[in-house]
Amino acid sequence: SIAMNVFDLADEGDGESIRIRDEAAKCLAERVRAAESLWPENDDLVISYAGRLMYGQPKFRQHLQRLLTDMGLNFSWREPQFRPAAGALLMAYPKFLPILNSFSQSLDWHH
């Protein structure tokens, strides 16, 4: 909850709050870059978001987008259609399906 207050101060021009907001965006961008490095080569990374921080702080989201673009990441935004945990599972499921299939075939179901 303190993030909203800090980011509101940043919108008013407070220098320290702007620094905190920009460092938070940079930290999140680094995590997205780490996830993108594990993503299949020919697929754009699809980013979904939820919560007051991403919806209520457009300057934060814009700065994050600028950082990701400057990093050369191929990504697109997707409006969330599910709660965060359910959405993450649904996004990851197709990527893990071949692994789950292989794993299930390696089990001996006859004994």
Side-chain angles (χ1 to χ4, degrees):
S1 64
I2 195 170
M4 296 301 288
N5 293 332
V6 170
F7 288 6
D8 287 343
L9 288 171
D11 286 345
E12 294 172 11
D14 180 72
E16 184 64 13
S17 298
I18 291 170
R19 185 188 65 75
I20 291 169
R21 181 191 64 200
D22 292 350
E23 283 184 19
K26 183 178 178 183
C27 184
L28 184 55
E30 291 293 334
R31 284 170 172 73
V32 172
R33 179 171 39 190
E36 194 264 349
S37 71
L38 302 172
W39 207 250
E41 228 176 275
N42 296 327
D43 290 348
D44 284 354
L45 184 65
V46 179
I47 301 172
S48 186
Y49 54 89
R52 291 186 316 164
L53 185 59
M54 294 300 284
Y55 281 112
Q57 299 295 329
K59 289 184 181 178
F60 174 79
R61 194 172 59 246
Q62 290 165 359
H63 187 62
L64 174 61
Q65 183 167 345
R66 190 174 330 111
L67 289 169
L68 296 172
T69 301
D70 290 349
M71 290 177 175
L73 299 182
N74 295 318
F75 70 96
S76 60
W77 293 107
R78 178 177 293 165
E79 286 288 324
Q81 299 173 356
F82 304 97
R83 291 181 177 223
L89 287 172
L90 288 171
M91 291 290 293
Y93 180 75
K95 307 292 183 198
F96 290 111
L97 191 57
I99 296 168
L100 293 172
N101 188 31
S102 175
F103 176 73
S104 67
Q105 288 178 1
S106 69
L107 295 175
D108 186 0
W109 293 101
H110 302 291
H111 297 167

